[in-house]
Amino acid sequence: MARTTLIQNSFNAGELSPLMAARGDQARYASGCRVLRNMLLHPHGPAFRRPGLRFMGACVDETVPPRLVPFVFNEEQAYVLEFAPERLRVWWRGGLVLGEGGAPLVVPTPYAAEHLSTLRWCQSADVLYLVTPHAAPRKLERHGHADWRLVAVNFGPRVATPTGLRSTGAPSGTRQHRYVITAVSVDTGEESLPTAELAVTAGTPAEGSAVNLAWTAVEGASEYRVYKAGGGASVYGLLGTAATGETYADTGRTPDFAEGPPEHRNPFEGADDHPSSVQFWQQRLCFAGSRSHPQTIWASRTGCYENMDVSRPLQTDDAVTVTIASETVSAVRWMMPARKLLVGTGGGEWTLSGQGSEPFSPLSCLLEFQSARGSAELPPLAVGDGVLAVQRGGRAVRDFRYSLDVDGYSGADQTILAEHMLRGRNIVDWAYQQSPHSVVWCAMDDGTMAGLTLIAEHQVAGWHRHDTRGAVEALCVVPGPPSDPAGGDELWLVVRRDVDGVQRRYIERLDPAFESDTPAPAFFVDSGLSYQGPPVAALGGLEHLEGREVSILADGWVHPPRIVAGGRIELDRPASVIHAGLGYASDLAPVTQEFVAGDGPTQGRVRRVGRARVRLYRSSGFKAGPDAAHLREVLFRTAQDPPGQALPLFDGDREVTLDARLGTQGGLHVRQDDPLPLTVLAVISEVEVGES
């Protein structure tokens, strides 16, 4: 048999599809894995163990899964909103925001359990706009840390309409002159709706014989605009402005009919008119996809997010209504701002923009078709300078980016090498954790998670799968506190677990990546809790895991498992730093490396791996074998190490002797199922290959 030594020093192509098993010629094959479970990827190449999930608290309603919505004012003020049926709670920095009397703050909402999955949102500072086809648009306002208010969106100008319009003098005559006036906000420049029409019977106004108008002042108005009808029709033109005072004199000036007063519009009043998507773009708040108008997009007036009014004739800052013209009626499913507004429908992807170099407005509006792949209902994610969206049918995740080659947006399939990740299951929720490792987390409909480490500028795209002893039902990401030395973004999850024969739902948070030089801080348990303080021989507060067996790390030493009874566990001896929670296994199996021997290619030939070396970084213990069914523990403790004490973390190569098994596939399988860290830098295998 031919013998050689092979090294794999990068795993950042992630877990590859079984369909790739014979594609040794593919560039990313050499950095791939047959199995990558509960492991994450460094862009540099190593694979490291997923941190544990820290228990935050029970859901407010454990009978149905809530939605988790990020509310980010800035890095210091980042909240997680827990939307349950007809109420919401607010989480901040690992705890619930408390209201009056020290009880958790609860805000009533109109959203029933069956409507939570259709919630869509976008945020501007302290205001979160919420839409669903089942209710009128609303906004959640934060007036203080413990002062949150959910109110209906009242579409229209925020400045009041003037009242008391009257004539205080006019020349005699029989002609009828008709006027309306509006107020202009001193803060925003927004124009109010016009007053009721005032008809004045008088002669022709002129200097010295004017039609004098007066009205009641409006609080917050900087000026008033006076419009006059002309031509015998109800068409108004701008006559002039009154910058100070509440009077105006019509001295016979000809109105400017290129500028008319605003006309009120609210396209969302009917039960079938509620939009299903909302997004900010070019200083406008855009809505789309009601049941009555599934292909229509409505954009507010510029800078006035709750004002859908238009003028006659149209002005560039008026609200915009545009409907996609296509062969099929495919509802708008999402919008995402980019160089243009990206619009995903069930039948294809479009862009919305102004014409040429002009800004988007009712006078300059261009819809362009980009692709016919179609989009799923899941909202897209902004990742770097691209946009990730799930393709219709849920079998592919595409990365939409602007391409000079086609002068438009094209979407590369990011699941092409790992199609098995979405085979027979769908993504029900997802979020992007930019820091520290640029991971797209996906909650699947079977309760597992999939992760995609994606760094486009370095051609890093690797999938990995994750499971916990429960089912992940929802997730979101918010920035972590800047003062936290671990830094990075926080992944929050809703996890359904069976505890003591009862189905429970918990809010949990992914712990920061392990970066210590000692094992004591290592947190590699799910639904776990920690204790740090004077030595104790028991740990309480585990009622949420009653009757479950938990893994324990005590002062960096792997303590034997315990069954939680009465919310407590007893330790063999006191410890100062304790982590307890549900254990989980992390698996890494590199791809079968192919090479050309002296008598030809080795693919398809019988082989065996007798020995291997695993290069580790800040690790402690693992199991290894030729496959998952034949694993042996790799011993790190020596006769010189004191029993019952934590071992120092290991850097370097650890040799593994395998039960040599003949076959055309396989090689090495590495597992860590103790609550300890594992980072694999490389795998060096001694391979014997049979003759061709």
Side-chain angles (χ1 to χ4, degrees), residues 2 41 279 430 491 515 571 638 642:
L41 299 171
Q279 190 57 261
W430 64 348
L491 174 68
E515 295 182 349
L571 305 182
T638 66

Side-chain angles (χ1 to χ4, degrees), residues 313-333:
L314 290 170
Q315 305 298 311
T316 56
D317 63 344
D318 280 346
V320 184
T321 301
V322 58
T323 300
I324 297 173
S326 61
E327 293 182 355
T328 60
V329 181
S330 297
V332 175
R333 290 181 167 173

Side-chain angles (χ1 to χ4, degrees), residues 358-509:
E358 296 180 358
F360 174 69
S361 76
L363 307 179
S364 178
C365 182
L366 179 63
L367 268 169
E368 294 181 288
F369 183 72
Q370 301 297 312
S371 69
R373 294 186 175 94
S375 297
E377 293 185 358
L378 198 69
L381 298 176
V383 178
D385 58 356
V387 173
L388 285 185
V390 180
Q391 184 174 297
R392 182 186 63 227
R395 294 297 298 272
V397 172
R398 294 195 172 271
D399 186 5
F400 286 94
R401 297 175 183 271
Y402 180 77
S403 171
L404 285 173
D405 295 337
V406 298
D407 191 24
Y409 285 84
S410 59
D413 185 358
Q414 293 293 350
T415 51
I416 190 68
L417 302 184
E419 51 76 37
H420 66 300
M421 287 288 178
L422 301 182
R423 188 191 304 160
R425 55 184 188 161
N426 291 311
I427 302 173
V428 295
D429 201 3
W430 64 348
Y432 174 52
Q433 187 183 24
Q434 176 176 271
S435 177
H437 299 112
S438 190
V439 178
V440 177
W441 292 99
C442 308
M444 314 303 292
D445 58 4
D446 63 358
T448 63
M449 280 198 301
L452 169 63
T453 299
L454 181 62
I455 307 176
E457 61 267 31
H458 296 294
Q459 291 79 52
V460 173
W463 286 90
H464 28 91
R465 52 193 172 95
H466 303 264
D467 56 79
T468 180
R469 291 159 70 179
V472 177
E473 298 181 316
L475 47 80
C476 80
V477 168
V478 296
S483 58
D484 188 344
D489 300 331
E490 296 179 345
L491 174 68
W492 290 64
L493 310 96
V494 174
V495 185
R496 186 184 74 243
R497 301 190 185 278
D498 291 327
V499 178
D500 206 19
V502 178
Q503 190 177 88
R504 306 291 303 275
R505 284 184 168 89
Y506 299 145
I507 305 292
E508 302 184 13
R509 186 182 67 192

Side-chain angles (χ1 to χ4, degrees), residues 105-321:
L105 177 70
V106 177
V107 180
T109 77
Y111 308 121
E114 60 270 22
H115 302 157
L116 294 177
S117 63
T118 64
L119 271 183
R120 302 292 182 266
W121 57 85
C122 65
Q123 185 178 350
S124 173
D126 274 320
V127 179
L128 184 79
Y129 289 92
L130 296 153
V131 299
T132 170
H134 308 285
R138 282 172 169 78
K139 59 182 178 179
L140 181 65
E141 301 173 336
R142 185 186 68 145
H143 295 267
H145 179 67
D147 186 1
W148 299 72
R149 308 171 193 174
L150 185 67
V151 298
V153 177
N154 295 317
F155 289 96
R158 286 170 288 181
V159 60
T161 300
T163 59
L165 179 60
R166 60 196 182 277
S167 172
T168 59
S172 60
T174 59
R175 291 192 60 187
Q176 190 174 70
H177 307 274
R178 291 175 292 155
Y179 303 90
V180 296
I181 64 168
T182 62
V184 178
S185 170
V186 66
D187 296 323
T188 64
E190 187 176 18
E191 188 174 4
S192 74
L193 291 174
T195 62
E197 181 182 85
L198 172 68
V200 179
T201 302
T204 302
E207 292 289 344
S209 58
V211 175
N212 294 303
L213 304 175
W215 55 87
T216 304
V218 172
E219 183 179 355
S222 61
E223 67 176 24
Y224 301 89
R225 295 180 182 175
V226 181
Y227 297 90
K228 185 177 182 180
S234 297
V235 177
Y236 285 88
L238 180 63
L239 186 61
T241 61
T244 58
E246 293 78 45
T247 61
Y248 183 84
D250 177 8
T251 58
R253 177 187 173 188
T254 302
D256 180 4
F257 291 102
E259 292 189 55
E263 297 179 0
H264 182 57
R265 293 286 188 276
N266 181 2
F268 314 122
E269 291 181 315
D272 290 333
D273 297 332
H274 305 321
S276 62
S277 182
V278 62
Q279 190 57 261
F280 284 102
W281 181 60
Q282 288 195 359
Q283 301 302 307
R284 298 176 185 264
L285 182 58
C286 302
F287 300 86
S290 67
R291 283 193 289 247
S292 57
H293 299 89
Q295 293 184 287
T296 299
I297 301 169
W298 299 269
S300 71
R301 293 177 69 100
T302 304
C304 304
Y305 304 141
E306 299 171 20
N307 191 334
M308 309 299 292
D309 297 345
V310 296
S311 305
R312 189 166 58 166
L314 290 170
Q315 305 298 311
T316 56
D317 63 344
D318 280 346
V320 184
T321 301

Side-chain angles (χ1 to χ4, degrees), residues 659-683:
D659 293 331
R661 293 175 180 273
L662 295 174
T664 59
Q665 296 290 322
L668 179 68
H669 191 110
V670 174
R671 172 174 293 173
Q672 173 64 286
D673 53 12
D674 285 331
L676 289 169
L678 176 69
T679 298
V680 180
L681 304 182
V683 171

